[in-house]
Coordinates of all heavy atoms in Angstrom, one line a residue:
M1 N -6.5 -18.2 -2.3 CA -5.6 -18.6 -1.3 C -6.3 -18.5 0.1 O -6.2 -19.4 0.9 CB -4.4 -17.7 -1.3 CG -3.4 -18.1 -0.3 SD -1.8 -17.1 -0.4 CE -2.3 -15.6 0.3
E2 N -7.1 -17.4 0.3 CA -7.8 -17.3 1.6 C -8.9 -18.3 1.7 O -9.0 -18.9 2.8 CB -8.4 -15.9 1.7 CG -7.4 -14.8 1.7 CD -7.9 -13.5 1.0 OE1 -9.1 -13.5 0.5 OE2 -7.1 -12.5 0.9
T3 N -9.6 -18.6 0.7 CA -10.7 -19.5 0.7 C -10.1 -20.9 1.0 O -10.7 -21.7 1.8 CB -11.5 -19.6 -0.6 OG1 -12.0 -18.2 -0.9 CG2 -12.6 -20.5 -0.6
K4 N -9.0 -21.2 0.4 CA -8.3 -22.5 0.6 C -7.9 -22.7 2.1 O -8.1 -23.7 2.7 CB -7.2 -22.7 -0.3 CG -6.6 -24.1 -0.3 CD -5.5 -24.3 -1.4 CE -5.0 -25.7 -1.3 NZ -4.0 -25.9 -2.4
S5 N -7.3 -21.6 2.7 CA -6.7 -21.7 4.0 C -7.8 -21.4 5.1 O -7.7 -22.0 6.2 CB -5.5 -20.9 4.2 OG -5.8 -19.5 4.0
L6 N -8.7 -20.5 4.8 CA -9.7 -20.1 5.9 C -11.1 -20.6 5.6 O -11.9 -20.5 6.5 CB -9.7 -18.5 5.9 CG -8.5 -17.8 6.4 CD1 -8.7 -16.3 6.3 CD2 -8.2 -18.1 7.8
G7 N -11.3 -21.0 4.4 CA -12.7 -21.4 4.0 C -13.5 -20.2 3.6 O -14.7 -20.3 3.4
R8 N -12.9 -19.0 3.5 CA -13.6 -17.8 3.1 C -12.7 -16.8 2.6 O -11.5 -16.9 2.9 CB -14.5 -17.2 4.3 CG -13.6 -16.7 5.4 CD -14.4 -16.0 6.5 NE -13.6 -15.6 7.6 CZ -12.8 -14.6 7.7 NH1 -12.7 -13.7 6.6 NH2 -12.1 -14.3 8.7
E9 N -13.2 -15.8 1.9 CA -12.4 -14.6 1.5 C -12.2 -13.7 2.6 O -13.1 -13.6 3.5 CB -13.1 -13.9 0.3 CG -12.3 -12.9 -0.4 CD -13.1 -12.3 -1.6 OE1 -13.4 -13.1 -2.5 OE2 -13.5 -11.1 -1.5
W10 N -11.1 -13.0 2.7 CA -10.9 -11.9 3.7 C -11.9 -10.8 3.5 O -12.4 -10.5 2.4 CB -9.5 -11.3 3.5 CG -8.4 -12.0 4.2 CD1 -8.4 -13.2 4.8 CD2 -7.1 -11.5 4.5 NE1 -7.2 -13.5 5.3 CE2 -6.3 -12.5 5.1 CE3 -6.4 -10.3 4.1 CZ2 -5.0 -12.3 5.5 CZ3 -5.1 -10.2 4.5 CH2 -4.4 -11.1 5.2
T11 N -12.3 -10.2 4.6 CA -13.1 -9.0 4.6 C -12.3 -7.8 4.2 O -11.0 -7.9 4.2 CB -13.7 -8.7 6.0 OG1 -12.7 -8.4 6.9 CG2 -14.5 -9.9 6.5
V12 N -12.9 -6.7 3.8 CA -12.2 -5.5 3.5 C -11.4 -5.0 4.7 O -10.2 -4.6 4.5 CB -13.2 -4.4 3.0 CG1 -12.4 -3.1 2.7 CG2 -13.9 -4.9 1.7
S13 N -11.9 -5.2 5.9 CA -11.2 -4.8 7.1 C -9.9 -5.6 7.2 O -8.9 -5.1 7.6 CB -12.0 -4.9 8.3 OG -13.1 -4.0 8.2
E14 N -10.0 -6.9 6.9 CA -8.8 -7.8 7.0 C -7.8 -7.4 5.9 O -6.6 -7.4 6.2 CB -9.3 -9.2 6.9 CG -10.0 -9.7 8.2 CD -10.7 -11.1 8.0 OE1 -11.2 -11.4 6.9 OE2 -10.7 -11.8 9.0
D15 N -8.3 -7.1 4.7 CA -7.4 -6.6 3.7 C -6.7 -5.3 4.2 O -5.5 -5.2 4.0 CB -8.2 -6.2 2.4 CG -8.5 -7.5 1.6 OD1 -8.0 -8.6 1.8 OD2 -9.4 -7.3 0.7
M16 N -7.4 -4.4 4.8 CA -6.8 -3.2 5.3 C -5.7 -3.5 6.4 O -4.6 -2.9 6.4 CB -7.8 -2.3 5.9 CG -7.4 -0.9 6.3 SD -6.9 0.0 4.8 CE -5.5 0.9 5.4
L17 N -5.9 -4.5 7.2 CA -4.9 -4.9 8.2 C -3.7 -5.5 7.5 O -2.6 -5.3 8.0 CB -5.5 -5.9 9.2 CG -6.5 -5.3 10.2 CD1 -7.1 -6.4 11.1 CD2 -5.8 -4.3 11.1
G18 N -3.9 -6.3 6.5 CA -2.8 -6.8 5.7 C -2.0 -5.7 5.1 O -0.7 -5.7 5.1
F19 N -2.6 -4.6 4.6 CA -2.0 -3.4 4.1 C -1.2 -2.7 5.2 O 0.0 -2.4 5.0 CB -3.0 -2.5 3.4 CG -2.4 -1.2 2.9 CD1 -1.3 -1.2 2.1 CD2 -3.1 0.0 3.2 CE1 -0.8 0.0 1.6 CE2 -2.6 1.2 2.7 CZ -1.5 1.2 1.9
F20 N -1.8 -2.5 6.3 CA -1.1 -1.9 7.5 C 0.2 -2.7 7.8 O 1.2 -2.1 8.1 CB -2.0 -1.8 8.7 CG -2.9 -0.7 8.7 CD1 -4.1 -0.9 9.5 CD2 -2.7 0.5 8.1 CE1 -5.0 0.2 9.5 CE2 -3.6 1.5 8.1 CZ -4.8 1.4 8.9
A21 N 0.1 -4.0 7.8 CA 1.3 -4.8 8.2 C 2.4 -4.6 7.2 O 3.6 -4.4 7.5 CB 0.9 -6.3 8.2
D22 N 2.1 -4.5 5.9 CA 3.1 -4.3 4.9 C 3.6 -2.9 4.9 O 4.8 -2.7 4.7 CB 2.5 -4.6 3.5 CG 2.5 -6.1 3.2 OD1 3.2 -6.8 3.8 OD2 1.7 -6.5 2.3
V23 N 2.8 -1.9 5.3 CA 3.3 -0.5 5.4 C 4.3 -0.4 6.6 O 5.3 0.2 6.5 CB 2.1 0.5 5.6 CG1 2.7 1.9 6.1 CG2 1.3 0.6 4.3
G24 N 4.0 -1.2 7.6 CA 5.0 -1.2 8.7 C 6.3 -1.8 8.3 O 7.4 -1.3 8.7
L25 N 6.3 -2.9 7.5 CA 7.5 -3.5 6.9 C 8.2 -2.5 6.0 O 9.5 -2.4 6.0 CB 7.2 -4.8 6.2 CG 6.7 -5.9 7.1 CD1 6.2 -7.1 6.3 CD2 7.8 -6.3 8.0
V26 N 7.5 -1.7 5.3 CA 8.1 -0.7 4.4 C 8.9 0.3 5.3 O 10.0 0.7 5.0 CB 7.1 0.0 3.5 CG1 7.7 1.3 2.9 CG2 6.5 -0.9 2.4
G27 N 8.3 0.7 6.4 CA 8.9 1.6 7.3 C 10.2 1.1 7.9 O 11.2 1.8 7.9
R28 N 10.2 -0.2 8.2 CA 11.4 -0.8 8.8 C 12.5 -0.9 7.7 O 13.7 -0.7 7.9 CB 11.1 -2.2 9.3 CG 10.4 -2.1 10.7 CD 10.1 -3.4 11.2 NE 9.5 -3.3 12.6 CZ 9.2 -4.3 13.3 NH1 9.4 -5.5 12.9 NH2 8.6 -4.1 14.5
L29 N 12.1 -1.3 6.5 CA 13.0 -1.4 5.4 C 13.6 0.0 5.0 O 14.8 0.0 4.6 CB 12.4 -2.1 4.2 CG 12.1 -3.6 4.4 CD1 11.1 -4.1 3.3 CD2 13.4 -4.3 4.3
V30 N 12.8 1.0 5.1 CA 13.3 2.4 4.8 C 14.4 2.7 5.9 O 15.5 3.2 5.6 CB 12.2 3.4 4.8 CG1 12.8 4.8 4.8 CG2 11.4 3.3 3.5
M31 N 14.1 2.4 7.1 CA 15.1 2.6 8.2 C 16.3 1.8 8.0 O 17.4 2.3 8.2 CB 14.5 2.3 9.6 CG 13.4 3.3 10.0 SD 12.6 2.9 11.6 CE 14.0 2.9 12.7
A32 N 16.2 0.6 7.5 CA 17.3 -0.3 7.2 C 18.1 0.3 6.1 O 19.4 0.2 6.1 CB 16.9 -1.7 6.9
A33 N 17.5 0.8 5.1 CA 18.2 1.4 3.9 C 19.0 2.6 4.3 O 20.0 2.9 3.7 CB 17.2 1.8 2.8
E34 N 18.5 3.3 5.3 CA 19.2 4.5 5.8 C 20.2 4.2 7.0 O 20.9 5.1 7.4 CB 18.2 5.6 6.2 CG 17.4 6.1 5.1 CD 16.5 7.3 5.4 OE1 16.1 7.4 6.6 OE2 16.2 8.1 4.5
G35 N 20.2 3.0 7.5 CA 21.1 2.6 8.5 C 20.7 2.3 9.9 O 21.3 1.5 10.5
P36 N 19.7 3.0 10.5 CA 19.4 2.8 11.9 C 18.7 1.5 12.2 O 18.5 1.2 13.4 CB 18.6 4.0 12.3 CG 17.9 4.4 11.0 CD 18.9 4.1 9.9
W37 N 18.2 0.7 11.2 CA 17.6 -0.5 11.5 C 18.4 -1.7 10.9 O 18.5 -1.7 9.7 CB 16.1 -0.5 10.9 CG 15.3 -1.7 11.4 CD1 15.2 -2.9 10.8 CD2 14.4 -1.7 12.4 NE1 14.4 -3.7 11.4 CE2 13.8 -3.0 12.5 CE3 14.0 -0.8 13.4 CZ2 12.9 -3.4 13.4 CZ3 13.0 -1.1 14.3 CH2 12.5 -2.4 14.3
G38 N 18.9 -2.6 11.7 CA 19.6 -3.7 11.2 C 18.8 -4.6 10.4 O 17.6 -4.9 10.8
Y39 N 19.3 -5.1 9.3 CA 18.6 -6.1 8.5 C 19.5 -7.0 7.8 O 20.5 -6.6 7.2 CB 17.8 -5.3 7.4 CG 16.8 -6.1 6.6 CD1 15.6 -6.5 7.1 CD2 17.2 -6.6 5.3 CE1 14.7 -7.3 6.4 CE2 16.3 -7.4 4.6 CZ 15.1 -7.7 5.1 OH 14.2 -8.5 4.4
G40 N 19.3 -8.3 7.9 CA 20.2 -9.3 7.4 C 20.0 -9.8 6.0 O 20.6 -10.8 5.6
G41 N 19.2 -9.0 5.2 CA 18.9 -9.5 3.9 C 19.1 -8.4 2.8 O 19.8 -7.5 3.1
D42 N 18.5 -8.6 1.7 CA 18.6 -7.7 0.6 C 17.6 -6.6 0.8 O 16.5 -6.7 0.4 CB 18.3 -8.5 -0.7 CG 18.3 -7.6 -2.0 OD1 18.7 -6.4 -1.9 OD2 17.9 -8.1 -3.0
V43 N 18.1 -5.5 1.4 CA 17.2 -4.4 1.7 C 16.5 -3.8 0.5 O 15.3 -3.6 0.5 CB 17.9 -3.3 2.5 CG1 17.1 -2.1 2.7 CG2 18.4 -3.8 3.8
N44 N 17.3 -3.5 -0.5 CA 16.7 -2.9 -1.7 C 15.8 -3.8 -2.4 O 14.7 -3.3 -2.9 CB 17.9 -2.4 -2.7 CG 18.6 -1.2 -2.1 OD1 18.1 -0.4 -1.4 ND2 19.9 -1.1 -2.5
G45 N 16.1 -5.1 -2.5 CA 15.2 -6.0 -3.1 C 13.9 -6.1 -2.4 O 12.8 -6.2 -3.0
E46 N 14.0 -6.3 -1.1 CA 12.8 -6.4 -0.2 C 11.9 -5.1 -0.2 O 10.7 -5.1 -0.3 CB 13.1 -6.7 1.2 CG 13.4 -8.2 1.5 CD 12.2 -9.0 1.3 OE1 11.1 -8.7 1.8 OE2 12.3 -10.0 0.5
L47 N 12.6 -3.9 -0.3 CA 11.9 -2.6 -0.3 C 11.2 -2.5 -1.6 O 10.0 -2.1 -1.6 CB 12.9 -1.5 -0.2 CG 12.4 -0.1 0.0 CD1 11.4 0.0 1.2 CD2 13.5 0.9 0.3
K48 N 11.8 -2.9 -2.7 CA 11.0 -2.9 -4.0 C 9.8 -3.8 -3.9 O 8.7 -3.4 -4.4 CB 12.0 -3.4 -5.1 CG 13.0 -2.4 -5.6 CD 13.8 -3.0 -6.7 CE 15.0 -2.2 -7.1 NZ 15.8 -2.8 -8.2
H49 N 10.0 -5.0 -3.4 CA 8.9 -5.9 -3.3 C 7.7 -5.3 -2.4 O 6.6 -5.4 -2.8 CB 9.4 -7.2 -2.7 CG 8.3 -8.2 -2.5 ND1 7.8 -9.0 -3.5 CD2 7.6 -8.5 -1.4 CE1 6.9 -9.8 -3.0 NE2 6.7 -9.5 -1.7
K50 N 8.1 -4.8 -1.3 CA 7.0 -4.3 -0.3 C 6.4 -3.1 -0.8 O 5.2 -2.9 -0.6 CB 7.6 -4.1 1.1 CG 7.8 -5.4 1.8 CD 6.5 -6.1 2.0 CE 6.6 -7.5 2.6 NZ 5.3 -8.3 2.6
L51 N 7.1 -2.2 -1.5 CA 6.5 -1.0 -2.1 C 5.5 -1.4 -3.2 O 4.4 -0.9 -3.3 CB 7.5 -0.1 -2.7 CG 8.3 0.7 -1.6 CD1 9.5 1.5 -2.3 CD2 7.4 1.7 -0.9
A52 N 5.9 -2.4 -4.0 CA 5.0 -2.9 -5.1 C 3.8 -3.6 -4.5 O 2.6 -3.4 -4.9 CB 5.7 -3.8 -6.0
E53 N 4.0 -4.3 -3.4 CA 2.9 -5.0 -2.7 C 1.9 -4.0 -2.1 O 0.7 -4.2 -2.1 CB 3.4 -6.0 -1.7 CG 2.4 -6.9 -1.1 CD 3.0 -8.0 -0.2 OE1 4.1 -7.9 0.2 OE2 2.2 -8.9 0.2
S54 N 2.5 -3.0 -1.6 CA 1.6 -1.9 -1.0 C 0.8 -1.3 -2.0 O -0.4 -1.0 -1.8 CB 2.5 -0.9 -0.3 OG 3.1 -1.4 0.8
L55 N 1.3 -1.0 -3.2 CA 0.5 -0.5 -4.3 C -0.6 -1.5 -4.7 O -1.7 -1.1 -4.9 CB 1.4 -0.2 -5.5 CG 0.7 0.3 -6.8 CD1 -0.1 1.6 -6.5 CD2 1.8 0.6 -7.8
W56 N -0.2 -2.8 -4.7 CA -1.2 -3.8 -5.0 C -2.4 -3.8 -4.0 O -3.5 -3.9 -4.3 CB -0.5 -5.2 -5.0 CG -1.5 -6.3 -5.1 CD1 -2.1 -6.8 -6.3 CD2 -2.0 -7.2 -4.1 NE1 -2.9 -7.9 -6.0 CE2 -2.9 -8.1 -4.7 CE3 -1.8 -7.2 -2.7 CZ2 -3.5 -9.1 -3.9 CZ3 -2.5 -8.2 -2.0 CH2 -3.3 -9.1 -2.6
W57 N -2.0 -3.6 -2.7 CA -3.1 -3.5 -1.7 C -4.0 -2.4 -1.9 O -5.2 -2.5 -1.8 CB -2.5 -3.4 -0.3 CG -2.0 -4.6 0.4 CD1 -0.8 -4.9 0.8 CD2 -2.8 -5.7 0.8 NE1 -0.7 -6.2 1.4 CE2 -2.0 -6.7 1.4 CE3 -4.2 -6.0 0.7 CZ2 -2.5 -7.9 1.9 CZ3 -4.7 -7.2 1.2 CH2 -3.8 -8.1 1.8
I58 N -3.4 -1.2 -2.3 CA -4.3 0.0 -2.6 C -5.2 -0.3 -3.8 O -6.4 0.0 -3.8 CB -3.4 1.2 -2.9 CG1 -2.7 1.6 -1.6 CG2 -4.2 2.3 -3.5 CD1 -1.6 2.7 -1.8
L59 N -4.7 -1.0 -4.8 CA -5.6 -1.4 -5.9 C -6.7 -2.4 -5.5 O -7.8 -2.2 -5.9 CB -4.7 -2.0 -7.1 CG -3.7 -1.0 -7.7 CD1 -2.8 -1.8 -8.7 CD2 -4.4 0.2 -8.3
V60 N -6.3 -3.3 -4.7 CA -7.3 -4.3 -4.2 C -8.4 -3.6 -3.3 O -9.6 -3.8 -3.5 CB -6.6 -5.4 -3.3 CG1 -7.7 -6.2 -2.5 CG2 -5.8 -6.3 -4.2
L61 N -7.9 -2.7 -2.4 CA -8.9 -2.0 -1.6 C -9.8 -1.1 -2.4 O -11.0 -1.0 -2.2 CB -8.1 -1.2 -0.5 CG -7.5 -2.1 0.6 CD1 -6.5 -1.2 1.4 CD2 -8.6 -2.6 1.5
S62 N -9.2 -0.4 -3.4 CA -10.1 0.5 -4.2 C -11.1 -0.3 -5.0 O -12.2 0.2 -5.1 CB -9.2 1.4 -5.1 OG -8.5 0.6 -6.1
E63 N -10.7 -1.4 -5.5 CA -11.7 -2.2 -6.2 C -12.8 -2.7 -5.3 O -13.9 -2.7 -5.6 CB -10.9 -3.4 -6.9 CG -11.9 -4.3 -7.7 CD -11.1 -5.5 -8.3 OE1 -10.1 -5.2 -9.0 OE2 -11.6 -6.6 -8.2
R64 N -12.4 -3.2 -4.1 CA -13.4 -3.8 -3.2 C -14.3 -2.7 -2.6 O -15.4 -3.0 -2.3 CB -12.7 -4.5 -2.1 CG -12.0 -5.8 -2.6 CD -11.7 -6.8 -1.6 NE -12.9 -7.4 -1.1 CZ -12.9 -8.1 0.0 NH1 -11.7 -8.4 0.7 NH2 -14.0 -8.7 0.5
L65 N -13.8 -1.5 -2.6 CA -14.7 -0.4 -2.1 C -15.3 0.5 -3.2 O -15.9 1.5 -2.9 CB -13.8 0.5 -1.2 CG -13.3 -0.1 0.1 CD1 -12.2 0.7 0.7 CD2 -14.5 -0.3 1.1
N66 N -15.2 -0.1 -4.4 CA -15.8 0.6 -5.6 C -15.3 2.0 -5.8 O -16.1 2.9 -6.1 CB -17.3 0.6 -5.5 CG -17.9 -0.8 -5.5 OD1 -17.5 -1.7 -6.4 ND2 -18.8 -1.1 -4.6
V67 N -14.0 2.2 -5.6 CA -13.4 3.5 -5.9 C -12.6 3.4 -7.2 O -11.8 2.5 -7.3 CB -12.4 3.9 -4.7 CG1 -11.6 5.1 -5.0 CG2 -13.2 4.1 -3.4
D68 N -12.9 4.4 -8.1 CA -12.1 4.4 -9.3 C -10.8 5.1 -9.0 O -10.7 6.3 -8.9 CB -12.9 5.2 -10.4 CG -12.2 5.3 -11.7 OD1 -11.0 5.1 -11.8 OD2 -12.9 5.6 -12.7
I69 N -9.8 4.3 -8.7 CA -8.5 4.8 -8.2 C -7.8 5.7 -9.3 O -7.2 6.7 -8.9 CB -7.6 3.7 -7.7 CG1 -6.5 4.2 -6.9 CG2 -7.0 2.9 -8.9 CD1 -6.9 4.8 -5.6
S70 N -8.0 5.4 -10.6 CA -7.4 6.3 -11.6 C -8.0 7.7 -11.5 O -7.3 8.7 -11.6 CB -7.6 5.7 -13.0 OG -6.9 4.5 -13.1
E71 N -9.3 7.7 -11.4 CA -10.0 9.0 -11.4 C -9.7 9.7 -10.1 O -9.4 10.9 -10.1 CB -11.5 8.8 -11.5 CG -12.3 10.1 -11.5 CD -12.6 10.7 -10.2 OE1 -12.8 10.0 -9.2 OE2 -12.6 12.0 -10.1
A72 N -9.6 9.0 -9.0 CA -9.3 9.6 -7.7 C -7.9 10.2 -7.7 O -7.7 11.3 -7.2 CB -9.5 8.6 -6.6
F73 N -7.0 9.4 -8.3 CA -5.6 9.9 -8.3 C -5.5 11.2 -9.2 O -4.8 12.1 -8.8 CB -4.6 8.8 -8.8 CG -3.2 9.2 -8.8 CD1 -2.5 9.3 -7.6 CD2 -2.5 9.5 -10.0 CE1 -1.2 9.6 -7.6 CE2 -1.2 9.8 -9.9 CZ -0.5 9.9 -8.7
S74 N -6.1 11.1 -10.4 CA -6.1 12.3 -11.3 C -6.6 13.5 -10.6 O -6.1 14.6 -10.7 CB -6.8 12.0 -12.5 OG -6.1 11.0 -13.3
S75 N -7.8 13.3 -9.9 CA -8.4 14.5 -9.2 C -7.5 15.0 -8.1 O -7.3 16.2 -7.9 CB -9.7 14.0 -8.6 OG -10.4 15.0 -7.9
F76 N -6.9 14.1 -7.3 CA -6.0 14.5 -6.3 C -4.8 15.3 -6.8 O -4.4 16.3 -6.3 CB -5.5 13.2 -5.5 CG -4.3 13.5 -4.6 CD1 -4.6 14.1 -3.4 CD2 -3.0 13.2 -5.0 CE1 -3.5 14.4 -2.5 CE2 -2.0 13.5 -4.1 CZ -2.2 14.1 -2.9
M77 N -4.2 14.8 -7.9 CA -3.0 15.4 -8.5 C -3.4 16.8 -9.0 O -2.6 17.8 -8.8 CB -2.4 14.6 -9.5 CG -1.7 13.3 -9.0 SD -0.5 13.6 -7.7 CE 0.7 14.5 -8.6
S78 N -4.5 16.9 -9.7 CA -5.0 18.2 -10.2 C -5.2 19.2 -9.1 O -4.8 20.4 -9.1 CB -6.3 18.0 -11.0 OG -6.7 19.2 -11.5
S79 N -5.9 18.8 -8.0 CA -6.1 19.6 -6.9 C -4.8 20.0 -6.2 O -4.7 21.2 -5.8 CB -7.0 18.9 -5.9 OG -7.2 19.6 -4.7
T80 N -3.9 19.1 -6.0 CA -2.6 19.4 -5.4 C -1.8 20.4 -6.2 O -1.3 21.3 -5.7 CB -1.9 18.1 -5.2 OG1 -2.6 17.2 -4.4 CG2 -0.5 18.3 -4.6
E81 N -1.8 20.2 -7.5 CA -1.1 21.1 -8.4 C -1.7 22.5 -8.3 O -0.9 23.5 -8.2 CB -1.2 20.6 -9.9 CG -0.4 21.5 -10.8 CD -0.4 21.0 -12.3 OE1 -1.3 20.1 -12.6 OE2 0.4 21.5 -13.0
T82 N -3.0 22.6 -8.3 CA -3.6 23.9 -8.2 C -3.2 24.6 -6.8 O -2.9 25.8 -6.8 CB -5.2 23.8 -8.2 OG1 -5.5 23.2 -9.5 CG2 -5.9 25.1 -8.1
K83 N -3.3 23.9 -5.8 CA -2.9 24.4 -4.4 C -1.5 24.8 -4.4 O -1.1 25.9 -3.9 CB -3.2 23.4 -3.3 CG -4.7 23.2 -3.1 CD -4.9 22.0 -2.1 CE -6.4 21.7 -2.0 NZ -6.6 20.5 -1.1
L84 N -0.6 24.0 -5.0 CA 0.8 24.3 -5.0 C 1.1 25.5 -5.8 O 2.0 26.4 -5.5 CB 1.7 23.1 -5.4 CG 1.8 22.0 -4.5 CD1 2.5 20.8 -5.1 CD2 2.5 22.4 -3.2
T85 N 0.5 25.6 -7.0 CA 0.7 26.8 -7.9 C 0.2 28.1 -7.2 O 0.9 29.1 -7.3 CB -0.1 26.6 -9.2 OG1 0.3 25.4 -9.8 CG2 0.1 27.8 -10.1
K86 N -0.9 28.0 -6.4 CA -1.3 29.2 -5.7 C -0.4 29.6 -4.6 O -0.3 30.8 -4.2 CB -2.7 29.0 -5.2 CG -3.8 29.0 -6.2 CD -5.2 28.8 -5.6 CE -6.2 28.7 -6.7 NZ -7.6 28.5 -6.1
S87 N 0.2 28.6 -4.0 CA 1.1 28.9 -2.8 C 2.5 29.4 -3.2 O 3.2 29.8 -2.3 CB 1.1 27.7 -1.9 OG 1.9 26.7 -2.5
V88 N 2.9 29.2 -4.4 CA 4.3 29.6 -4.8 C 4.3 31.0 -5.3 O 3.6 31.6 -5.9 CB 4.8 28.6 -5.8 CG1 6.2 29.0 -6.3 CG2 4.8 27.2 -5.3

């Protein structure tokens, strides 16, 4: 899609900016779901879509940056569980 419209693929930095934009939309949709942000559409449907798209961005970024996201997530969760267990 990018190559067709821009003549090139987005850079990793541009991918990150796309992710930031979607995270901002998630924030607004969360506010809309809780009431303080007016929204004229299907808040829950859009929120599901944008949360899934945000996960997709993380997968794209991890792949482009050669990060094994499964290993990174497992390591993070293990470390977090250890820290929480010690603090309780």
Side-chain angles (χ1 to χ4, degrees):
M1 183 174 75
E2 298 148 359
T3 303
K4 188 174 182 177
S5 64
L6 294 174
R8 65 173 176 80
E9 188 176 296
W10 274 12
T11 65
V12 176
S13 296
E14 289 168 325
D15 282 344
M16 191 63 218
L17 289 173
F19 176 47
F20 279 153
D22 282 338
V23 168
L25 291 171
V26 168
R28 287 182 176 179
L29 288 165
V30 167
M31 289 176 64
E34 293 186 335
W37 190 275
Y39 189 78
D42 176 10
V43 173
N44 289 331
E46 279 296 309
L47 190 53
K48 285 180 186 180
H49 176 83
K50 283 299 171 188
L51 285 170
E53 189 173 11
S54 294
L55 179 56
W56 175 80
W57 276 118
I58 290 169
L59 296 172
V60 166
L61 288 164
S62 66
E63 181 178 311
R64 294 201 66 195
L65 294 166
N66 297 313
V67 172
D68 182 339
I69 197 66
S70 294
E71 185 278 324
F73 184 74
S74 293
S75 176
F76 168 78
M77 292 305 295
S78 178
S79 173
T80 300
E81 182 178 14
T82 299
K83 289 175 187 173
L84 287 173
T85 301
K86 287 180 181 179
S87 69
V88 177

